[in-house]
């Protein structure tokens, strides 16, 4: 019982984003080390514009609501995305993984989310490790 608790504490410390989905993720997933290839980067503007807000999400992650992610309101703001080499990303047009779902495979670079009708539409995200 104590060992189980400690493992979850160590695992939670590894999460960069303290999203609302964290408790669920901690209960559901088992990781021992951070997988540096399991990440996604989200950009407020198109074409991966680093002059505008952008943030890297370490996977695995379940973000039920982007209103306060990494200190900023990302709801309906994301216009381009880079998926890391060992990650699969699911993005949703509504919070709580509802609405339209788009699956972005490993190494996917979407310079303009309007091509999948998701520009400034995403409100929740699931990021799993493994291509
Ligand atoms: Ca810009
Ligand atoms: Ca935007
Ligand atoms: Ca939306």
């Amino acid at each position: 019982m104590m060992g189980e608790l400690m493992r979850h504490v160590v695992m939670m410390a590894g999460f960069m984003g303290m999203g609302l989905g964290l408790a669920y993720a901690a209960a559901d997933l088992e990781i021992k080390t951070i997988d540096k290839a399991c990440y996604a980067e989200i950009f407020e503007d198109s074409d991966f514009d680093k002059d505008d807000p952008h943030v890297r999400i370490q996977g695995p992650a379940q973000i039920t609501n982007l209103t306060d992610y990494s200190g900023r309101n990302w709801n309906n703001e994301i216009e381009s995305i880079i998926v890391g080499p060992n990650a699969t990303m699911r993005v949703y047009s509504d919070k709580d993984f509802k609405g339209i779902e788009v699956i972005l495979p490993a190494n996917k670079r979407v310079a303009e989310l309007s091509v999948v009708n998701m520009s400034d539409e995403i409100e929740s995200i699931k990021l799993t490790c493994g291509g």
Side-chain angles (χ1 to χ4, degrees):
M1 188 66 189
M2 196 59 195
E4 181 78 0
L5 182 64
M6 282 303 292
R7 192 157 53 83
H8 281 167
V9 169
V10 170
M11 186 171 65
M12 287 172 74
F15 277 80
M16 288 175 70
M18 298 293 283
L20 291 173
L22 188 59
Y24 173 80
D28 195 48
L29 300 167
E30 292 197 8
I31 51 165
K32 289 178 178 70
T33 55
I34 295 294
D35 182 347
K36 288 189 170 153
C38 180
Y39 68 89
E41 192 164 10
I42 55 175
F43 298 82
E44 191 276 329
D45 200 0
S46 57
D47 295 320
F48 322 116
D49 188 349
K50 288 189 183 283
D51 293 334
D52 282 313
H54 57 101
V55 70
R56 186 179 163 119
I57 303 168
Q58 176 64 50
Q62 307 240 355
I63 306 167
T64 58
N65 190 330
L66 285 162
T67 45
D68 184 17
Y69 183 75
S70 195
R72 147 168 217 98
N73 183 1
W74 284 94
N75 246 8
N76 302 315
E77 290 288 358
I78 303 166
E79 282 170 71
S80 52
I81 291 176
I82 295 171
V83 183
N86 194 41
T88 300
M89 187 178 197
R90 286 172 172 77
V91 297
Y92 301 84
S93 60
D94 295 336
K95 65 179 181 171
D96 298 322
F97 318 124
K98 290 178 179 150
I100 299 161
E101 178 191 60
V102 175
I103 302 174
L104 306 174
N107 284 317
K108 185 76 175 176
R109 294 171 63 91
V110 186
E112 179 51 80
L113 279 164
S114 59
V115 301
V116 286
N117 289 321
M118 288 293 258
S119 182
D120 290 334
E121 287 289 357
I122 297 166
E123 290 175 47
S124 53
I125 290 171
K126 286 183 188 173
L127 191 59
T128 53
C129 299

